[in-house]
Amino acid sequence: MTMARESFQMVSSLVRRETSMVYDEGKEYLVEARLLPLAVAAGCTVDEYCRKLSIDFAERRKALDALTINETSWFRDQGPYQAFTDTMLPALLQARSTTRRLRIWSAACSSGQEAYSIAMLLDQHLPAGWSAEILATDVSTAMLARVKTGRYSQVEMNRGMPATSLVRYFTRVGSEWEIVPKLKAMVTTRHLNLSAPYLGVPTFDLVLLRNVLIYFDKTTKADILRRMLSHVASDGYLLLGSSESTLDLPPDLAPRWRREQIGRVQAHRPTGVPAPRPSPASSLVPTGA
Ligand SMILES: C[S@@+](CC[C@H](N)C(=O)[O-])C[C@H]1O[C@@H](n2cnc3c(N)ncnc32)[C@H](O)[C@@H]1O
């Protein structure tokens, strides 16, 4: 390891402050590998580059983009998408028969494979006369730019894209594949930090909050799941990643989510249990104590 300890500590607290992602000691090699190409491009060493980050906003943005983990694929894990077409979508079509409109949020969307996978299923299964809006948000501006462009390399296409959907929903542009305009039109992007307030974010029929909670500590995870209660419709669904769950939530929050097994996945649904009122004892604690 060549990166200085102070550089690593400075970068890990920057990432924590800006995204809540935790880079514990032992991840120096990962931080260094991700920052090295940026340092080389800036003509300096990784340590010099880290010092630059405290004064250079544009470079800080690039470093944060490089340090977010953007691993994703088409129809990732399959089970959630199967559960969506088999169970969630039919239930929502019945429940929304008056408005004929569905709202879906891909929170932590990475380069957009999750949002566009859902868009493909909606294109195939949404009855005529219905509309659907998909909001794709992420803390990484570089990832949001990729969602907007909707272009993917052959290597990315090889990760889960069925041949029939490739032909149906993409056009070849040079060495890349670009998603067709009708699916692009369904997806709106927005910069959103999951660990900050969700200003102006509406309620959704389905929220995909997948493979992101694993990067946060327990308190941040609970804060996000508490805030999500206001953004999942009372008869809507929240889907987490396959290694994420609501099992370790604090006692005030646990009863506010219930787990429902749908095929091979567990969906999470708001129970409608109200937030507990602060106890009189806690309101007597002087501020600043
Ligand atoms: C591993 S990817 C998951 C992508 C997709 N949800 C999936 O399951 O395939 C995690 C994404 O979370 C984003 N992320 C990390 N911290 C975040 C935060 N505080 N707010 C919003 N997005 C965040 C990263 O930029 C990255 O794109």
Side-chain angles (χ1 to χ4, degrees):
M1 211 262 300
T2 53
M3 184 180 197
R5 190 183 164 83
E6 311 83 72
S7 302
F8 174 74
Q9 284 171 342
M10 195 280 270
V11 171
S12 65
S13 51
L14 170 72
V15 174
R16 184 135 190 175
R17 199 169 56 241
E18 301 278 330
T19 73
S20 291
M21 283 176 67
V22 181
Y23 272 104
D24 283 328
E25 280 194 24
K27 292 281 167 61
E28 290 84 350
Y29 68 95
L30 188 60
V31 170
E32 185 166 5
R34 284 174 175 245
L35 294 186
L36 187 60
L38 294 174
V40 170
C44 55
T45 66
V46 170
D47 288 324
E48 285 163 349
Y49 184 77
C50 291
R51 284 195 286 279
K52 205 173 158 64
L53 294 181
S54 55
I55 47 162
D56 188 331
F57 180 80
E59 215 54 60
R60 206 184 309 161
R61 197 68 268 154
K62 282 194 223 165
L64 285 168
D65 281 339
L67 289 163
T68 51
I69 295 158
N70 308 119
E71 166 76 15
T72 190
S73 55
W74 302 100
F75 302 98
R76 185 173 186 175
D77 302 331
Q78 292 199 4
Y81 296 95
Q82 197 66 52
F84 176 68
T85 32
D86 290 353
T87 306
M88 294 180 228
L89 185 58
L92 288 170
L93 289 179
Q94 214 164 34
R96 303 287 178 272
S97 59
T98 323
T99 59
R100 295 183 160 219
R101 187 173 74 159
L102 295 183
R103 275 187 169 151
I104 293 168
W105 181 11
S106 168
C109 61
S110 187
S111 36
Q113 283 85 334
E114 183 173 85
Y116 287 128
S117 296
I118 284 285
M120 288 175 218
L121 295 179
L122 288 168
D123 181 66
Q124 290 158 32
H125 299 284
L126 208 57
W130 283 68
S131 66
E133 296 160 23
I134 302 170
L135 175 67
T137 65
D138 203 282
V139 78
S140 162
T141 43
M143 285 301 116
L144 293 171
R146 291 217 50 208
V147 183
K148 271 192 219 151
T149 317
R151 283 203 191 170
Y152 300 93
S153 68
Q154 185 63 55
V155 173
E156 288 171 318
M157 297 308 282
N158 291 346
R159 301 197 58 205
M161 175 59 60
T164 45
S165 300
L166 173 69
V167 174
R168 193 164 168 185
Y169 296 118
F170 290 86
T171 48
R172 186 115 209 187
V173 182
S175 60
E176 294 184 314
W177 295 91
E178 184 167 343
I179 197 108
V180 292
K182 74 167 170 178
L183 295 198
K184 248 191 223 179
M186 286 168 84
V187 177
T188 307
T189 56
R190 178 174 158 185
H191 182 266
L192 185 136
N193 183 349
L194 285 166
S195 54
Y198 308 163
L199 299 175
V201 176
T203 300
F204 294 88
D205 302 306
L206 168 64
V207 176
L208 298 130
L209 178 67
R210 304 188 59 228
N211 305 299
V212 63
L213 293 179
I214 35 169
Y215 302 113
F216 303 140
D217 63 21
K218 246 179 146 170
T219 312
T220 307
K221 176 182 162 181
D223 285 346
I224 292 172
L225 287 170
R226 191 173 285 115
R227 225 170 298 148
M228 273 298 167
L229 282 162
S230 313
H231 300 282
V232 178
S234 56
D235 56 355
Y237 303 87
L238 169 74
L239 286 174
L240 304 179
S242 55
S243 60
E244 297 162 332
S245 78
T246 51
L247 288 172
D248 57 350
L249 295 185
D252 69 302
L253 182 59
R256 305 183 69 197
W257 286 107
R258 78 181 157 84
R259 289 179 289 281
E260 187 173 305
Q261 190 71 32
I262 305 179
R264 289 193 286 121
V265 298
Q266 272 200 338
H268 297 84
R269 312 194 73 181
T271 55
V273 170
R277 291 217 234 145
S279 67
S282 65
S283 61
L284 291 177
V285 176
T287 47

